[in-house]
Amino acid sequence: MAASSRTRIGVVGLGQMGRYHTQAYRAAGAHIVGVCDADPTRAAAFGAEHDLPFGDSYAELLSTPGLDAVSICTPPDLHLPMVRAALNAGVDVLCEKPLAGTLHEGRTLADLVPPDRIVMLCFFHRFHEPIVRLRAMLAAGDLGQPRFLRNRFALDMRADRRPWVWDAARAGGGAVLNTSVHSIDLFRFLIEEPQRVAARMRPTPAEGVLEQDAVLLLEGARGGSSAVLEAASYAVQREYALTLETDQAVAEVGWNPPSLRIRRQGDGQWTSVPITAASSVTRIQAGIDHFLGCVADRRQPCAQVADGLRALEIAAAAYRSVAEDRFVACGATDPGQPI
């Protein structure tokens, strides 16, 4: 019997990501002991659709006998209290991004996690097979020294689809917190820690107004790499794309369908790297499988709370960049400002 089949899971928040998590846990053979949502009607419909115990009380879900872990798929303003409650109940956590709606809450959350507890962030793009392959090639020195990364995540996040995304009190921020945190994490995951950031957002963040689009320029160590990160929330056409240039080659990553192709210096054509994943959603399954393995083996996950906190710190620096119209330091030792 696989270890994952003995893992007892609860899922809280039954929107799109809650649905993905539930499907992935079932595919992995985990035992979902219950699901919950603050909306009783949604909880009942979801429970009936998936033939699962359901409710609208997170406290009741956490009190389920033998519960090992929960997936928290709720808006950012609920992450801190829900992670705190799970840790107090002795339960491991898979938490959706961003880590929290504010940097202060993110730091508070990070301070809560004991060393023996598994808390993983849903930076699932780390598990996208082309990204995994690209990172391995970089680590092996097959592509040379990274110089420049370009990443665009364009989504359709209209308010009629996910109203909470545009509620400042619930989301904490707009395109940067909702989308650019993934791009920031990919820069850190593939290349290095950013040291400075300059940003432009539309509209410019103001009280009660969240940015719909953003462009971030990240700089690594002096003389090192840099990146341009684009986030679009009202895109006519969805687009996920990443290009990485090194001193010896250029690599292009696609999501739909998953793809990786390389063109080396002096080579007149692209070479496609074999990819087995047929869908970009496969990255979610891979992330869930990784989390279940960490829970079973008591090992720390690939994407930890510290990674979520760093993404929040860099996002906070990006907001400061817009407010102050300048580059802002965002090195790991920079305290940053609350967002």
Side-chain angles (χ1 to χ4, degrees):
M1 180 182 293
S4 61
S5 67
R6 298 191 298 270
T7 306
R8 294 168 61 83
I9 297 289
V11 178
V12 54
L14 303 178
Q16 182 182 51
M17 291 312 300
R19 182 175 297 273
Y20 281 142
H21 283 227
T22 299
Q23 293 169 344
Y25 281 126
R26 278 195 155 162
H31 178 35
I32 303 175
V33 299
V35 298
C36 75
D37 193 282
D39 181 341
T41 301
R42 173 184 282 183
F46 193 96
E49 178 185 354
H50 295 277
D51 191 24
L52 290 169
F54 64 88
D56 58 6
S57 170
Y58 181 53
E60 287 185 10
L61 179 64
L62 288 179
S63 67
T64 303
L67 182 68
D68 294 307
V70 291
S71 267
I72 296 176
C73 305
T74 61
D77 66 311
L78 297 177
H79 290 179
L80 173 58
M82 287 187 166
V83 171
R84 177 188 281 121
L87 295 177
N88 288 340
V91 171
D92 294 326
V93 177
L94 177 59
C95 183
E96 272 297 336
K97 56 77 201 169
L99 178 64
T102 71
L103 183 53
H104 174 73
E105 289 182 354
R107 288 174 171 157
T108 301
L109 192 159
D111 288 340
L112 295 175
V113 182
D116 61 341
R117 185 56 56 200
I118 308 301
V119 181
M120 176 174 159
L121 263 290
C122 292
F123 282 144
F124 287 145
H125 292 287
R126 290 187 176 206
F127 298 92
H128 186 51
E129 185 182 347
I131 293 292
V132 174
R133 297 293 301 274
L134 176 58
R135 188 170 189 255
M137 295 175 75
L138 289 168
D142 293 344
L143 299 178
Q145 185 66 33
R147 295 297 188 219
F148 179 71
L149 182 144
R150 181 185 302 109
N151 173 229
R152 175 173 172 80
F153 285 160
L155 308 171
D156 183 358
M157 300 293 291
R158 285 171 290 182
D160 60 343
R161 292 184 152 187
R162 294 186 188 178
W164 68 262
V165 170
W166 300 111
D167 181 345
R170 307 209 70 193
V176 172
L177 278 195
N178 185 64
T179 303
S180 295
V181 288
H182 279 306
S183 302
I184 291 167
D185 185 67
L186 285 177
F187 182 81
R188 296 183 61 244
F189 186 62
L190 291 172
I191 306 177
E192 64 176 311
E193 282 287 349
Q195 301 299 312
R196 299 201 308 165
V197 60
R200 291 293 180 267
M201 303 176 194
R202 185 190 63 84
T204 300
E207 185 176 354
V209 179
L210 299 181
E211 73 283 0
Q212 298 177 11
D213 307 293
V215 178
L216 276 59
L217 172 59
L218 296 185
E219 291 186 346
R222 186 176 297 275
S225 57
S226 59
V228 171
L229 312 178
E230 301 177 19
S233 300
Y234 283 69
V236 174
Q237 178 174 320
R238 292 173 63 93
E239 182 181 5
Y240 289 65
L242 182 146
T243 300
L244 174 63
E245 297 183 17
T246 74
D247 56 356
Q248 299 177 16
V250 58
E252 289 188 350
V253 172
W255 268 257
N256 296 304
S259 62
L260 173 61
R261 64 176 190 164
I262 309 292
R263 184 171 180 174
R264 299 181 186 275
Q265 190 174 47
D267 194 342
Q269 60 184 7
W270 292 90
T271 299
S272 294
V273 176
I275 299 296
T276 61
S279 166
S280 66
V281 179
T282 305
R283 71 186 188 274
I284 299 176
Q285 185 68 61
I288 293 287
D289 291 344
H290 176 76
F291 175 66
L292 288 172
C294 291
V295 170
D297 300 337
R298 308 316 298 168
R299 55 185 167 87
Q300 289 302 312
C302 168
Q304 300 183 35
V305 168
D307 296 304
L309 183 57
R310 281 296 294 135
L312 273 183
E313 290 172 345
I314 296 162
Y319 285 114
R320 287 176 54 210
S321 169
V322 172
E324 299 172 12
D325 195 23
R326 65 179 182 89
F327 269 97
V328 171
C330 61
T333 59
D334 293 311
Q337 296 293 327
I339 54 175

PDB file of all heavy atoms in Angstrom, residues 143-159:
ATOM      1  N   LEU A 143      23.762  24.506 -20.042  1.00  0.00           N
ATOM      2  CA  LEU A 143      23.311  25.661 -20.820  1.00  0.00           C
ATOM      3  C   LEU A 143      24.162  26.903 -20.601  1.00  0.00           C
ATOM      4  O   LEU A 143      23.926  27.926 -21.241  1.00  0.00           O
ATOM      5  CB  LEU A 143      21.851  25.977 -20.482  1.00  0.00           C
ATOM      6  CG  LEU A 143      20.837  24.877 -20.791  1.00  0.00           C
ATOM      7  CD1 LEU A 143      19.451  25.304 -20.376  1.00  0.00           C
ATOM      8  CD2 LEU A 143      20.867  24.498 -22.262  1.00  0.00           C
ATOM      9  N   GLY A 144      25.111  26.862 -19.689  1.00  0.00           N
ATOM     10  CA  GLY A 144      25.924  28.035 -19.420  1.00  0.00           C
ATOM     11  C   GLY A 144      25.342  28.886 -18.306  1.00  0.00           C
ATOM     12  O   GLY A 144      24.461  28.465 -17.546  1.00  0.00           O
ATOM     13  N   GLN A 145      25.803  30.117 -18.238  1.00  0.00           N
ATOM     14  CA  GLN A 145      25.435  31.027 -17.164  1.00  0.00           C
ATOM     15  C   GLN A 145      24.178  31.822 -17.511  1.00  0.00           C
ATOM     16  O   GLN A 145      24.131  32.502 -18.532  1.00  0.00           O
ATOM     17  CB  GLN A 145      26.584  32.002 -16.893  1.00  0.00           C
ATOM     18  CG  GLN A 145      26.361  32.923 -15.711  1.00  0.00           C
ATOM     19  CD  GLN A 145      26.307  32.184 -14.394  1.00  0.00           C
ATOM     20  OE1 GLN A 145      26.981  31.186 -14.213  1.00  0.00           O
ATOM     21  NE2 GLN A 145      25.496  32.678 -13.466  1.00  0.00           N
ATOM     22  N   PRO A 146      23.127  31.769 -16.680  1.00  0.00           N
ATOM     23  CA  PRO A 146      21.915  32.546 -16.967  1.00  0.00           C
ATOM     24  C   PRO A 146      22.202  34.042 -17.008  1.00  0.00           C
ATOM     25  O   PRO A 146      22.963  34.559 -16.190  1.00  0.00           O
ATOM     26  CB  PRO A 146      20.988  32.203 -15.793  1.00  0.00           C
ATOM     27  CG  PRO A 146      21.467  30.882 -15.297  1.00  0.00           C
ATOM     28  CD  PRO A 146      22.955  30.909 -15.489  1.00  0.00           C
ATOM     29  N   ARG A 147      21.564  34.714 -17.967  1.00  0.00           N
ATOM     30  CA  ARG A 147      21.735  36.154 -18.120  1.00  0.00           C
ATOM     31  C   ARG A 147      20.417  36.915 -18.010  1.00  0.00           C
ATOM     32  O   ARG A 147      20.338  37.949 -17.374  1.00  0.00           O
ATOM     33  CB  ARG A 147      22.384  36.466 -19.484  1.00  0.00           C
ATOM     34  CG  ARG A 147      23.801  35.951 -19.646  1.00  0.00           C
ATOM     35  CD  ARG A 147      24.730  36.602 -18.648  1.00  0.00           C
ATOM     36  NE  ARG A 147      26.125  36.277 -18.893  1.00  0.00           N
ATOM     37  CZ  ARG A 147      27.011  36.038 -17.946  1.00  0.00           C
ATOM     38  NH1 ARG A 147      26.635  36.056 -16.674  1.00  0.00           N
ATOM     39  NH2 ARG A 147      28.252  35.752 -18.241  1.00  0.00           N
ATOM     40  N   PHE A 148      19.363  36.382 -18.657  1.00  0.00           N
ATOM     41  CA  PHE A 148      18.118  37.150 -18.730  1.00  0.00           C
ATOM     42  C   PHE A 148      16.929  36.206 -18.799  1.00  0.00           C
ATOM     43  O   PHE A 148      16.936  35.223 -19.558  1.00  0.00           O
ATOM     44  CB  PHE A 148      18.130  38.052 -19.968  1.00  0.00           C
ATOM     45  CG  PHE A 148      16.887  38.863 -20.137  1.00  0.00           C
ATOM     46  CD1 PHE A 148      16.596  39.917 -19.287  1.00  0.00           C
ATOM     47  CD2 PHE A 148      15.980  38.562 -21.147  1.00  0.00           C
ATOM     48  CE1 PHE A 148      15.427  40.664 -19.440  1.00  0.00           C
ATOM     49  CE2 PHE A 148      14.823  39.303 -21.308  1.00  0.00           C
ATOM     50  CZ  PHE A 148      14.549  40.352 -20.449  1.00  0.00           C
ATOM     51  N   LEU A 149      15.908  36.496 -18.000  1.00  0.00           N
ATOM     52  CA  LEU A 149      14.671  35.715 -18.000  1.00  0.00           C
ATOM     53  C   LEU A 149      13.510  36.635 -18.342  1.00  0.00           C
ATOM     54  O   LEU A 149      13.418  37.753 -17.837  1.00  0.00           O
ATOM     55  CB  LEU A 149      14.460  35.063 -16.633  1.00  0.00           C
ATOM     56  CG  LEU A 149      13.227  34.169 -16.473  1.00  0.00           C
ATOM     57  CD1 LEU A 149      13.554  32.987 -15.560  1.00  0.00           C
ATOM     58  CD2 LEU A 149      12.034  34.933 -15.898  1.00  0.00           C
ATOM     59  N   ARG A 150      12.642  36.139 -19.208  1.00  0.00           N
ATOM     60  CA  ARG A 150      11.412  36.859 -19.548  1.00  0.00           C
ATOM     61  C   ARG A 150      10.244  35.922 -19.278  1.00  0.00           C
ATOM     62  O   ARG A 150      10.208  34.797 -19.772  1.00  0.00           O
ATOM     63  CB  ARG A 150      11.415  37.279 -21.019  1.00  0.00           C
ATOM     64  CG  ARG A 150      10.165  38.070 -21.438  1.00  0.00           C
ATOM     65  CD  ARG A 150      10.169  38.360 -22.933  1.00  0.00           C
ATOM     66  NE  ARG A 150      11.346  39.106 -23.344  1.00  0.00           N
ATOM     67  CZ  ARG A 150      12.346  38.601 -24.064  1.00  0.00           C
ATOM     68  NH1 ARG A 150      12.316  37.327 -24.436  1.00  0.00           N
ATOM     69  NH2 ARG A 150      13.375  39.343 -24.403  1.00  0.00           N
ATOM     70  N   ASN A 151       9.282  36.378 -18.481  1.00  0.00           N
ATOM     71  CA  ASN A 151       8.150  35.538 -18.105  1.00  0.00           C
ATOM     72  C   ASN A 151       6.860  36.338 -18.228  1.00  0.00           C
ATOM     73  O   ASN A 151       6.776  37.466 -17.752  1.00  0.00           O
ATOM     74  CB  ASN A 151       8.331  35.024 -16.674  1.00  0.00           C
ATOM     75  CG  ASN A 151       7.119  34.268 -16.148  1.00  0.00           C
ATOM     76  OD1 ASN A 151       6.658  34.538 -15.064  1.00  0.00           O
ATOM     77  ND2 ASN A 151       6.615  33.324 -16.911  1.00  0.00           N
ATOM     78  N   ARG A 152       5.855  35.749 -18.872  1.00  0.00           N
ATOM     79  CA  ARG A 152       4.547  36.401 -19.003  1.00  0.00           C
ATOM     80  C   ARG A 152       3.473  35.416 -18.581  1.00  0.00           C
ATOM     81  O   ARG A 152       3.361  34.309 -19.128  1.00  0.00           O
ATOM     82  CB  ARG A 152       4.295  36.853 -20.434  1.00  0.00           C
ATOM     83  CG  ARG A 152       2.888  37.421 -20.655  1.00  0.00           C
ATOM     84  CD  ARG A 152       2.738  38.015 -22.045  1.00  0.00           C
ATOM     85  NE  ARG A 152       1.367  38.381 -22.348  1.00  0.00           N
ATOM     86  CZ  ARG A 152       0.753  39.489 -21.934  1.00  0.00           C
ATOM     87  NH1 ARG A 152       1.430  40.343 -21.183  1.00  0.00           N
ATOM     88  NH2 ARG A 152      -0.485  39.752 -22.258  1.00  0.00           N
ATOM     89  N   PHE A 153       2.684  35.808 -17.583  1.00  0.00           N
ATOM     90  CA  PHE A 153       1.500  35.071 -17.183  1.00  0.00           C
ATOM     91  C   PHE A 153       0.305  35.993 -17.406  1.00  0.00           C
ATOM     92  O   PHE A 153       0.110  36.972 -16.674  1.00  0.00           O
ATOM     93  CB  PHE A 153       1.566  34.657 -15.714  1.00  0.00           C
ATOM     94  CG  PHE A 153       2.496  33.502 -15.443  1.00  0.00           C
ATOM     95  CD1 PHE A 153       2.981  33.280 -14.168  1.00  0.00           C
ATOM     96  CD2 PHE A 153       2.873  32.625 -16.445  1.00  0.00           C
ATOM     97  CE1 PHE A 153       3.837  32.215 -13.899  1.00  0.00           C
ATOM     98  CE2 PHE A 153       3.730  31.559 -16.198  1.00  0.00           C
ATOM     99  CZ  PHE A 153       4.213  31.354 -14.922  1.00  0.00           C
ATOM    100  N   ALA A 154      -0.481  35.699 -18.425  1.00  0.00           N
ATOM    101  CA  ALA A 154      -1.655  36.505 -18.765  1.00  0.00           C
ATOM    102  C   ALA A 154      -2.905  35.673 -18.493  1.00  0.00           C
ATOM    103  O   ALA A 154      -3.058  34.564 -19.013  1.00  0.00           O
ATOM    104  CB  ALA A 154      -1.606  36.917 -20.236  1.00  0.00           C
ATOM    105  N   LEU A 155      -3.798  36.217 -17.661  1.00  0.00           N
ATOM    106  CA  LEU A 155      -4.983  35.492 -17.210  1.00  0.00           C
ATOM    107  C   LEU A 155      -6.248  36.293 -17.477  1.00  0.00           C
ATOM    108  O   LEU A 155      -6.189  37.481 -17.803  1.00  0.00           O
ATOM    109  CB  LEU A 155      -4.880  35.212 -15.707  1.00  0.00           C
ATOM    110  CG  LEU A 155      -3.593  34.548 -15.217  1.00  0.00           C
ATOM    111  CD1 LEU A 155      -3.565  34.539 -13.702  1.00  0.00           C
ATOM    112  CD2 LEU A 155      -3.481  33.139 -15.760  1.00  0.00           C
ATOM    113  N   ASP A 156      -7.372  35.634 -17.323  1.00  0.00           N
ATOM    114  CA  ASP A 156      -8.671  36.306 -17.369  1.00  0.00           C
ATOM    115  C   ASP A 156      -9.269  36.206 -15.975  1.00  0.00           C
ATOM    116  O   ASP A 156      -9.845  35.185 -15.600  1.00  0.00           O
ATOM    117  CB  ASP A 156      -9.579  35.648 -18.404  1.00  0.00           C
ATOM    118  CG  ASP A 156     -10.913  36.369 -18.543  1.00  0.00           C
ATOM    119  OD1 ASP A 156     -11.133  37.352 -17.812  1.00  0.00           O
ATOM    120  OD2 ASP A 156     -11.733  35.942 -19.371  1.00  0.00           O
ATOM    121  N   MET A 157      -9.105  37.259 -15.191  1.00  0.00           N
ATOM    122  CA  MET A 157      -9.502  37.242 -13.783  1.00  0.00           C
ATOM    123  C   MET A 157     -10.609  38.271 -13.526  1.00  0.00           C
ATOM    124  O   MET A 157     -10.588  38.993 -12.531  1.00  0.00           O
ATOM    125  CB  MET A 157      -8.298  37.544 -12.895  1.00  0.00           C
ATOM    126  CG  MET A 157      -7.169  36.562 -13.037  1.00  0.00           C
ATOM    127  SD  MET A 157      -7.597  34.912 -12.425  1.00  0.00           S
ATOM    128  CE  MET A 157      -7.687  35.247 -10.679  1.00  0.00           C
ATOM    129  N   ARG A 158     -11.589  38.323 -14.415  1.00  0.00           N
ATOM    130  CA  ARG A 158     -12.680  39.284 -14.237  1.00  0.00           C
ATOM    131  C   ARG A 158     -13.425  39.033 -12.924  1.00  0.00           C
ATOM    132  O   ARG A 158     -13.533  37.903 -12.459  1.00  0.00           O
ATOM    133  CB  ARG A 158     -13.643  39.190 -15.414  1.00  0.00           C
ATOM    134  CG  ARG A 158     -13.099  39.821 -16.693  1.00  0.00           C
ATOM    135  CD  ARG A 158     -13.986  39.524 -17.869  1.00  0.00           C
ATOM    136  NE  ARG A 158     -13.906  38.109 -18.240  1.00  0.00           N
ATOM    137  CZ  ARG A 158     -14.567  37.578 -19.273  1.00  0.00           C
ATOM    138  NH1 ARG A 158     -15.345  38.345 -20.005  1.00  0.00           N
ATOM    139  NH2 ARG A 158     -14.442  36.297 -19.555  1.00  0.00           N
ATOM    140  N   ALA A 159     -13.921  40.114 -12.357  1.00  0.00           N
ATOM    141  CA  ALA A 159     -14.523  40.055 -11.028  1.00  0.00           C
ATOM    142  C   ALA A 159     -15.735  39.134 -10.972  1.00  0.00           C
ATOM    143  O   ALA A 159     -16.050  38.592  -9.911  1.00  0.00           O
ATOM    144  CB  ALA A 159     -14.908  41.460 -10.572  1.00  0.00           C
TER     145      ALA A 159
END
